């Protein structure tokens, strides 16, 4: 095993001090002299055509500087994947369909005033005349011919995504199967609930650029979308990320950026906005709720030979990243197993719900809930140990995925399963003899995998620049990089990788980050991709800089754009493709207690074995694992997002309950598996999403082990558990 100076070391975070002392400003802390304040008028109704907007009273209100509506937005459309959302909904813009609001959080107008209170008061004076349209919130209803259309202007139905996998012959294979398990699963919405609600400050900088300081996940993509909506060249827009209070995918799509830029551009003054928690909850996308229908067949020697899946994701009102999220659901819907015969259909559907968006795991948690439930049920039906059953079917190098090509290797799911089994002390997970107590204990196992990167034919890329300063010795290495530090530790990991590549102490690395004026694009902090991508970019830049340093250039500057291995899109009828260049693998085991009188589920112990390739900073990896397990546990047993006819009932953290320290598992154990990826920097794969993925099915299996019931829909709230037990 190679030893490194900085790689594999739990060094202190480079951003720790400022965050711990409170000195580091987050978006909501920013201010400038002469700054104005913005408030948004949200639609507050799920589907309606706006006939007219009267802003005259608001404009005349005390302190009001300006009111902007659809007619003021030069190119009134935006979107990360499809530009299907108006910046401001209403009449007067050239965008077809921009006069329609499609969910409660659509933005109708913004007021800019001298104080926040004045802006808020004036918002109430705006008169909007609506004509309500029929609302569709159930994706199954929305799929039917004749359903109310969410986007009249797009396609010929609400179905906006359809992916297919056709591999082998499922009909013949089912005929040969000894056991078949058929189930329908439902997974819920999840709210990101990051600590910091959306906020930002926009102003005109010294060079005349419209500058937006606001948290996000991809500076250059934000810049591109703002420039598009304002009808300005990209270099007239500057995006800077301050410290970011969590993202988890929820900051991939835009929220306050474009309207802030619009106001600063028109008024030539600094403008700030801070969303309340309520505005945040209705205003940004959520994890896709998904309906999953599965029929899986296995032979009595324990081989899964046929899978037929139908997956329907509620996309909500706009595309956001639904096409990419459901692409990941498609890939992961077979679990990390070799299945010779697969037939899968995956649909994304527009509805009048709050848009579904990126959220840690990006479509994989939903698909893996189905896959791992199916595996555990098949193991039970076959009378096999669920771990042994997994080992019999686990993917190995060269085995083809559902999409017909092998996962780029090494495929290490078997190593992860073995590691989790050993650490947990897996004993077969057989239901304990009935105890007299109403508190029942159970154990469950699950596995998963996740692609690193967006890919699916998109050429993944990442840029870095390193400037070496000094005379005989390197005094300072300045690393320029756009990557968003959303709390995960990417800036620390990048500094470690730069120090390693340059052979200098960490203290000599200075990071200039997350500003479109000084960096080129790094791609998104998403899809567990940034360690892999930035590490390769840094290595390339370091090599060039060191060469120039040896040639006596001062400063010695190396600039490099890493291009990941090429990938392909799904072949439309079969899904045949090489959709990703790298994967990471995971296996987990849970021990739970179920109170059969109250229905409460408590996670006692949790083990997560994650193949991250090479941990650049093991303490940060452990932080990712513990954070992911806690977040997924909230998804599994606690968080319940409720809506009625498109209205959000749980729009505050007093009604949408996330885990507190009293709810989280008593013990989460991280087992590092390190099977290097040949293309990863120092072998690294990725970790951001991985430990989130099989948490729910591991807990579900443990509940089954404790109580004897399978619960196919979560969260496993007391009410749902008691109903499953037949007690209510
Ligand atoms: Mo992510 S859910 O790929 O930010």
């Amino acid at each position: 095993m190679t030893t490194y100076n900085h790689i594999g070391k739990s060094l202190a975070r480079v951003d720790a001090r400022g965050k711990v002392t409170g000195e580091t400003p987050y978006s909501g802390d920013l201010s400038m002299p002469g700054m104005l304040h913005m408030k948004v008028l949200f639609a507050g109704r799920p589907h309606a055509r706006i006939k007219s907007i009267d802003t005259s009273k608001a404009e005349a209100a005390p302190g009001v500087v300006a009111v902007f509506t659809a007619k003021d937005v030069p190119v009134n459309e935006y979107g990360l994947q499809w530009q299907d959302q108006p910046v401001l909904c209403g009449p007067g813009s050239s965008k077809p369909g921009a006069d329609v609001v499609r969910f409660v959080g659509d933005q109708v107008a913004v007021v800019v005033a001298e104080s926040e209170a004045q802006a808020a008061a004036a918002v109430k004076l705006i008169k909007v005349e609506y004509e309500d349209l029929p609302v569709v919130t159930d994706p199954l209803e929305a799929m039917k011919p004749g359903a109310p259309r969410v986007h009249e202007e797009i396609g010929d139905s609400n179905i906006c995504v359809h992916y297919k996998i056709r591999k082998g012959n499922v009909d013949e294979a089912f005929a040969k199967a000894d056991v078949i398990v058929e189930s329908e699963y439902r997974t819920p919405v999840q709210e990101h609930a990051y600590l910091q609600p959306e906020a930002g400050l926009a102003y005109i900088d010294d060079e005349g650029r419209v500058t937006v300081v606001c948290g996000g996940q991809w500076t250059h993509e934000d810049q591109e979308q703002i420039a598009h909506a304002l009808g300005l060249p990209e270099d007239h827009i500057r995006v800077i990320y301050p410290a970011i209070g969590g993202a988890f995918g929820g900051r991939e799509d835009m929220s306050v950026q474009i309207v802030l830029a619009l106001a600063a551009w028109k008024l030539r003054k600094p403008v700030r906005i801070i969303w309340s928690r309520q505005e945040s909850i209705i205003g940004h996308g959520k994890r896709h709720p998904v309906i999953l229908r599965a029929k899986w067949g296995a032979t009595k020697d324990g081989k899964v030979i046929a899978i037929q899946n139908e997956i329907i994701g509620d996309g909500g009102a706009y595309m956001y990243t639904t096409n990419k999220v459901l692409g990941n659901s498609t890939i992961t819907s077979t679990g990390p197993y070799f299945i010779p015969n697969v037939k899968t259909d995956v649909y994304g559907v527009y509805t009048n719900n709050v848009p579904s968006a990126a959220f840690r795991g990006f479509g994989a948690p939903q698909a893996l809930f189905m896959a791992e439930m199916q595996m555990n049920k098949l193991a039970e039906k076959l009378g096999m140990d669920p771990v042994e059953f997994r080992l019999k079917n686990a993917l190995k190098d060269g085995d083809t995925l559902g999409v017909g090509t092998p996962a780029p290797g090494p495929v290490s799911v078997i190593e992860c399963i073995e590691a989790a089994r050993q650490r947990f002390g897996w004993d077969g997970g057989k239901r304990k003899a009935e105890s007299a107590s109403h508190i029942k204990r159970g154990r469950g196992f699950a596995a998963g995998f996740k692609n690193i990167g967006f890919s699916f034919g998109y050429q993944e890329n990442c840029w870095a620049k390193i400037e070496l300063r000094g005379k005989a010795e390197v005094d300072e290495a300045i690393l320029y990089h756009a990557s968003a530090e959303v709390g995960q530790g990417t800036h620390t990991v990048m500094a470690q990788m730069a120090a390693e590549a340059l052979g200098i102490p960490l203290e000599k690395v200075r990071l200039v980050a997350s500003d479109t004026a000084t960096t080129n694009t790094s791609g998104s902090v998403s899809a567990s991709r940034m360690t892999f991508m930035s590490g390769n970019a840094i290595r390339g830049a370091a090599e060039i800089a060191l060469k120039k340093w040896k040639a006596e250039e001062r400063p010695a500057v190396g600039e490099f754009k890493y291009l990941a291995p090429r990938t392909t899109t799904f072949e439309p009828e079969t899904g045949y493709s090489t959709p990703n260049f790298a994967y990471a693998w995971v296996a987990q085991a849970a021990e739970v207690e179920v109170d059969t009188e109250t229905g409460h589920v408590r996670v006692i112990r949790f083990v997560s074995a994650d193949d991250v390739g090479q941990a650049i900073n093991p303490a940060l990896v452990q932080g990712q694992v513990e954070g992911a397990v806690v977040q997924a546990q909230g998804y599994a047993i606690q968080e319940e997002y409720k809506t009625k006819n498109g209205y959000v009932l749980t729009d505050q953290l007093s009604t949408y309950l996330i885990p507190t320290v009293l709810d989280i598992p008593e013990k989460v154990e991280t087992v590092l598996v390190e099977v290097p990826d040949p293309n990863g920097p120092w072998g690294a794969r990725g970790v951001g999403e991985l430990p989130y993925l099989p948490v729910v099915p591991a807990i579900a299996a443990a509940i089954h082990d404790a109580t004897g019931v399978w619960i196919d829909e979560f969260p496993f709230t007391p009410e749902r558990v008691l109903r499953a037990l037949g007690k209510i």
Side-chain angles (χ1 to χ4, degrees):
M1 199 181 141
T2 328
T3 52
Y4 302 113
N5 292 320
H6 301 93
I7 302 295
K9 301 232 157 50
S10 294
L11 304 176
R13 290 180 66 126
V14 295
D15 53 350
R17 176 172 291 271
K19 287 181 173 174
V20 169
T21 58
E23 281 162 11
T24 302
Y26 289 75
S27 338
D29 304 321
L30 304 167
S31 70
M32 276 181 113
M35 177 177 81
L36 301 170
H37 300 264
M38 176 183 277
K39 271 286 183 191
V40 179
L41 174 65
F42 291 94
R45 59 185 70 209
H47 201 193
R49 190 177 305 280
I50 298 178
K51 308 298 281 183
S52 66
I53 306 178
D54 179 357
T55 58
S56 55
K57 281 210 176 105
E59 278 164 46
V64 171
V65 177
V67 180
F68 298 110
T69 61
K71 66 180 179 353
D72 302 304
V73 188
V75 183
N76 192 15
E77 60 176 23
Y78 75 103
L80 188 50
Q81 292 293 320
W82 293 6
Q83 290 157 344
D84 59 352
Q85 184 167 11
V87 176
L88 292 171
C89 299
S93 80
S94 58
K95 168 83 174 167
D99 56 339
V100 174
V101 299
R102 297 178 180 80
F103 80 106
V104 289
D106 253 329
Q107 300 182 31
V108 174
V110 290
V111 176
V112 182
E114 281 158 15
S115 76
E116 197 180 2
Q118 287 170 329
V123 159
K124 297 200 177 88
L125 301 175
I126 300 172
K127 289 260 176 312
V128 184
E129 193 194 339
Y130 289 102
E131 174 199 332
D132 281 320
L133 297 171
V135 172
V136 61
T137 58
D138 177 347
L140 297 179
E141 289 300 318
M143 287 176 89
K144 290 181 183 162
R149 292 290 306 282
V150 179
H151 289 268
E152 290 281 5
E153 71 289 358
I154 300 173
D156 54 11
S157 83
N158 290 317
I159 300 173
C160 52
V161 175
H162 182 192
Y163 297 131
K164 295 179 193 174
I165 289 184
R166 302 288 183 267
K167 180 191 183 192
N169 184 328
V170 285
D171 295 330
E172 280 174 19
F174 278 123
K176 289 182 197 143
D178 297 305
V179 294
I180 290 176
V181 167
E182 251 187 292
S183 296
E184 178 172 315
Y185 304 96
R186 284 178 186 244
T187 71
V189 173
Q190 190 180 23
E191 152 64 26
H192 302 80
Y194 22 64
L195 278 175
Q196 177 203 22
E198 289 72 6
L201 172 71
Y203 59 91
I204 309 297
D205 79 355
D206 295 342
E207 294 190 26
R209 289 174 290 215
V210 180
T211 303
V212 178
V213 189
C214 173
Q217 295 182 230
W218 185 355
T219 45
H220 289 72
E221 172 62 33
D222 294 354
Q223 177 192 34
E224 193 183 315
Q225 289 189 57
I226 296 166
H228 176 81
L230 267 49
L232 293 174
E234 272 171 41
D235 62 2
H236 289 212
I237 305 293
R238 178 179 180 186
V239 171
I240 302 172
Y241 287 170
I244 300 167
F248 312 115
R251 294 191 211 271
E252 275 190 41
D253 298 283
M254 306 291 266
S255 54
V256 300
Q257 294 91 336
I258 297 174
V259 285
L260 271 181
L262 175 75
W265 176 54
K266 294 245 178 183
L267 301 171
R268 316 302 292 179
K269 285 198 171 158
V271 182
R272 187 178 79 179
I273 191 167
I274 302 176
W275 274 4
S276 67
R277 181 61 69 177
Q278 209 168 3
E279 289 171 329
S280 175
I281 290 180
I282 65 157
H284 73 250
K286 306 277 171 276
R287 186 185 295 286
H288 289 71
V290 180
I291 300 163
L292 310 107
R293 297 168 178 150
K295 179 181 172 190
W296 290 33
T299 51
K300 54 179 177 295
D301 61 341
K303 286 273 188 192
V304 183
I305 55 169
I307 285 183
Q308 189 171 316
N309 294 327
E310 190 183 36
I311 298 176
I312 297 154
D314 179 357
Y318 297 101
M319 176 55 73
Y320 285 43
T321 49
T322 288
N323 55 350
K324 292 283 184 174
V325 166
L326 294 178
N328 284 351
S329 301
T330 307
I331 297 280
T332 50
S333 63
T334 53
Y337 309 107
F338 171 65
I339 316 291
N341 304 287
V342 183
K343 179 169 187 254
T344 295
D345 286 272
V346 179
Y347 300 92
V349 189
Y350 280 133
T351 66
N352 295 115
N353 290 318
V354 175
S356 298
F359 196 148
R360 199 176 204 166
F362 213 68
Q366 296 93 326
L368 285 167
F369 175 61
M370 168 188 72
E372 294 301 287
M373 289 290 277
Q374 288 291 107
M375 288 299 283
N376 282 324
K377 289 179 185 179
L378 279 171
E380 186 188 42
K381 222 167 173 173
L382 289 162
M384 279 187 183
D385 171 55
V387 172
E388 289 300 332
F389 180 56
R390 281 183 170 76
L391 290 171
K392 273 185 195 287
N393 292 283
L395 283 161
K396 293 188 275 300
D397 285 323
D399 284 346
T400 54
L401 298 163
V403 292
T405 58
V411 173
S412 56
V413 65
I414 291 177
E415 283 89 336
C416 294
I417 292 172
E418 296 283 12
R421 161 156 82 175
Q422 193 188 349
R423 170 67 71 92
F424 190 74
W426 182 259
D427 56 2
K430 293 262 174 346
R431 193 137 66 100
K432 309 295 159 307
E434 285 294 324
S435 69
S437 167
H438 60 278
I439 308 280
K440 309 281 185 207
R441 277 211 179 199
R443 296 177 141 203
F445 203 93
F449 70 121
K450 179 70 188 33
N451 49 306
I452 306 301
F454 278 125
S455 302
F456 292 83
Y458 171 73
Q459 174 60 61
E460 277 281 18
N461 64 86
C462 189
W463 173 95
K465 186 169 86 175
I466 291 176
E467 192 176 312
L468 298 175
R469 294 187 177 176
K471 290 196 178 115
E473 294 264 299
V474 175
D475 293 334
E476 186 181 42
I478 308 173
L479 169 61
Y480 296 88
H481 203 278
S483 169
E485 172 64 63
V486 295
Q488 83 281 45
T490 191
H491 285 176
T492 304
V493 162
M494 287 196 303
Q496 284 181 243
M497 295 191 292
E500 188 72 41
L502 293 163
I504 59 171
L506 187 69
E507 303 72 56
K508 289 194 176 180
V509 178
R510 181 159 68 87
L511 193 59
V512 175
S514 312
D515 181 348
T516 58
T518 54
T519 65
N520 208 328
T521 186
S522 62
S524 187
V525 158
S526 298
S528 305
R529 67 187 281 289
M530 197 45 88
T531 300
F532 191 108
M533 298 300 295
S534 70
N536 280 313
I538 287 166
R539 284 220 296 205
E543 197 178 308
I544 296 165
L546 286 174
K547 210 167 178 186
K548 291 188 178 174
W549 179 266
K550 284 200 190 98
E552 308 283 331
E553 273 188 47
R554 298 292 183 275
V557 181
E559 198 173 334
F560 186 75
K561 183 178 179 182
Y562 171 68
L563 297 178
R566 291 195 55 177
T567 59
T568 63
T569 52
F570 293 136
E571 196 284 311
E573 291 307 314
T574 64
Y576 185 87
S577 53
T578 307
N580 294 290
F581 57 83
Y583 291 88
W585 310 87
V586 58
Q588 299 181 327
E591 178 152 5
V592 306
E593 264 180 13
V594 182
D595 184 326
T596 56
E597 284 181 358
T598 66
H600 274 97
V601 176
R602 189 163 173 75
V603 178
I604 303 301
R605 184 174 171 229
F606 202 92
V607 168
S608 185
D610 303 78
D611 182 9
V612 300
Q614 161 73 52
I616 305 296
N617 184 316
L620 289 179
V621 170
Q622 189 183 340
Q624 287 292 301
V625 174
E626 291 173 1
V629 171
V630 166
Q631 194 168 39
Q633 189 216 291
Y635 180 50
I637 64 183
Q638 191 170 359
E639 296 176 31
E640 207 166 20
Y641 174 87
K642 292 201 166 171
T643 61
K644 196 173 178 192
N645 303 328
Y647 291 89
V648 181
L649 303 179
T650 49
D651 61 356
Q652 314 221 35
L653 292 180
S654 55
T655 46
Y656 182 84
L657 302 179
I658 62 171
T660 70
V661 72
L662 294 176
D663 302 305
I664 67 176
E666 286 171 18
K667 208 167 175 192
V668 176
E669 292 167 52
T670 303
V671 186
L672 279 183
V673 181
E674 293 178 300
V675 180
D677 185 293
N679 296 314
W682 297 275
R685 297 176 188 243
V687 68
E689 298 167 297
L690 196 61
Y692 187 103
L693 306 177
V695 172
V696 184
I699 291 174
I703 294 172
H704 173 262
D705 187 42
T707 64
V709 296
W710 291 112
I711 312 181
D712 294 341
E713 185 175 354
F714 58 98
F716 307 120
T717 54
E719 187 182 338
R720 186 166 281 125
V721 171
L722 287 180
R723 200 176 299 126
L725 293 174
K727 300 220 171 159
I728 54 172

